[in-house]
Amino acid sequence: MIDKAAPTARGLRHSLRTPLNHVIGYGEMILEEIDPAAMPTRTCVAQLLANARELVKFIQGSFATAGDPLSVDDILECQINMRPRLWQLRHDVSQLQSLAPAFEQDVAKISSAVDSLIAFADQGLDAFAQFSYSGLTATEEQSEGLHGRMLVVDDSPANREILRRHLERQGYGVTTASDGRQSLELMGTQKFDLVLLDVLMPVLDGFEVLKRMKASPELRTMPVVMISALDESSSVVRCIQMGAEDYLMKPFDPVLLSARIGASLEKKRLRDEEKERAEDLQRAVDELGRTKDQLLVQEKLASLGALTAGIAHEIKNPLNFITNFATSSLDLIQELREELVAGDAAGAADLLPQLEQYLGKIDEHGKRADRIVRSMLLHSRGKSGERELIDLNNLLSDWMNLAYHGMRSQNREFNVQLIKAFQPDLGKVSGVPQDLSRVFLNVITNACYAAYERKKAEGEPFRPAVTVSTMRRDSKVEIRIRDNGTGIPVDILAKIFNPFFTTKPAGSGSGLGLSISQDIIVQGHQGTISAASEPGQFTEFTVTLPGEGGG
């Protein structure tokens, strides 16, 4: 218990307070359990506790400013001053032994603790260090409770027993550990609501156990209340800085012990509730993401269905050209063969430029058909594709036509003038074609819808129109999509990019189109998208993208 070669003020103060803590701890338990009507016994216990607490104050005051290590005179002065106080304690114990036979075991532990202190006062450090009392024979315990499970970690069996009994009276289940290493092993295999951890222990002290707990993902949130006979502010600060919930000094006030544990458990409950709410929120976010993905797939399939007629129309034109030019090419080849058979090399040479022109047209319209098919295949895929250099004018032209014919296939009366105002030398942009085509299809379709709705409302002579223009501005490319439709009210204009917001009738849209378009342009292509409108006059969407090599 004490370093006999060079005792320090801190070490001796801790060692002397340990048996006093046992006197106070067992005395308080007797006081709690004794019949309130047994006044002589209660008075005796109260006197014992008062004298023990006065002795704690004396020991604290005697070594508060003493140097380290202690001198022989320091220790001798402490022994002399302790003797009368200890004999008073011995008198209290003797009275208690005769008054409280029902508490024989607890009184015996109090008596052994007092005897150890008397051994120090009478015989010095050697006798005190070697003294053994019955408080050291307390057995390991594990119990279950209704209010939670506590782990008590202390190298003193008596300390563990006192804490266990206090906690069990408060309705807690208690498991005990005699050193830091054992406590970590228990925490690795069992679940506890709170740990009461002694500071000074062999094997691993409380500081090291606390450090390892806070470094462990599994243990870092478990609340820890440090317990110690040390009342140094530096120890308190160190423990709190390391993550302990609280710090309790021995001997414990049972009311204070209950309040501090209750407060620590309440903080844990609030943290657990906050964590559970965060997990619920994350699950809701994940579910919303899955729902959004499902709606996006459904919207893609719906748009493909609506564009079927437009696709057929757009592919039919280049296929007609290919067929016609292929037939003409076959005719030219026949003429070329006849000229060669007749030996007219000059006539054969005259036919070659025309054949070359026909083949060029076949290649041009074949590529156009391939571009349309490839765009639709990419549009139908769930995942984003690879970035490439894109001819925006071609992309916009294709999707304007597809959107128009797709809507016309659903309503033969639908008719909107499409105006293309493309800058010829626009250059290319780096982007993901299917993602950008999704944006333009959505905005152009909305524009066509708005223009036609105004036509239905106003009738003749109104002429619905959608204008798509492109322009290079320094290092950026600007795309404007303008309709002369019904316009968007100011209060609604601020919400159009919000997920699931739509002004269309139920079943006509998911409300995700513009939200996804904004994500594609802003996050996926480092561009911007905005909208301006005057109700009853027009709506114009403006998209800017980094030019070739940008983004």
Side-chain angles (χ1 to χ4, degrees), residues 17 49 60 96 123 209 257 271 412 436 452 488 532:
R17 285 189 58 166
L49 291 172
Q60 177 63 27
L96 190 58
Q123 303 172 47
V209 174
L257 175 67
R271 283 198 302 268
R412 299 308 299 176
L436 291 178
Y452 185 65
I488 305 173

Side-chain angles (χ1 to χ4, degrees), residues 139-209:
T139 58
E140 298 295 327
E141 296 287 344
Q142 181 166 326
S143 59
E144 298 297 329
L146 297 176
H147 299 157
R149 295 191 64 201
M150 308 284 113
L151 175 61
V152 173
V153 189
D154 198 305
D155 61 314
S156 166
N159 284 346
R160 296 196 298 274
E161 183 188 21
I162 291 169
L163 265 175
R164 176 185 60 78
R165 288 169 62 177
H166 276 308
L167 293 170
E168 287 177 345
R169 285 177 184 171
Q170 295 172 24
Y172 298 112
V174 181
T175 298
T176 61
S178 58
D179 62 61
R181 182 172 297 163
Q182 184 188 14
S183 73
L184 289 172
E185 292 173 354
L186 286 168
M187 283 183 266
T189 58
Q190 300 182 40
K191 183 178 180 181
F192 299 100
D193 295 296
L194 184 139
V195 179
L196 288 153
L197 181 61
D198 189 24
V199 173
L200 298 182
M201 294 185 295
V203 187
L204 288 178
D205 65 19
F207 293 121
E208 182 61 25
V209 174

Side-chain angles (χ1 to χ4, degrees), residues 2 28 82 185 196 203 209 273 338 386 415 483 506 535:
I2 298 176
E28 286 176 337
M82 282 181 64
E185 292 173 354
L196 288 153
V203 187
V209 174
E273 286 184 356
E338 292 173 356
E386 299 294 328
N415 190 25
D483 67 74

Side-chain angles (χ1 to χ4, degrees), residues 425-496:
D425 58 346
L426 185 68
K428 295 186 177 182
V429 298
S430 174
V432 182
Q434 63 266 40
D435 288 349
L436 291 178
S437 65
R438 189 168 295 126
V439 173
F440 298 138
L441 174 63
N442 181 269
V443 178
I444 293 169
T445 300
N446 287 345
C448 290
Y449 177 87
Y452 185 65
E453 285 297 301
R454 184 177 175 188
K455 167 67 174 178
K456 289 196 298 183
E458 297 183 12
E460 297 294 342
F462 176 74
R463 294 290 182 266
V466 172
T467 302
V468 179
S469 61
T470 60
M471 180 179 294
R472 178 169 286 276
R473 295 185 181 276
D474 298 325
S475 62
K476 296 184 181 299
V477 170
E478 181 181 273
I479 305 99
R480 291 180 179 268
I481 302 171
R482 182 185 181 99
D483 67 74
N484 61 349
T486 53
I488 305 173
V490 175
D491 58 328
I492 293 179
L493 189 63
K495 305 175 184 177
I496 60 173

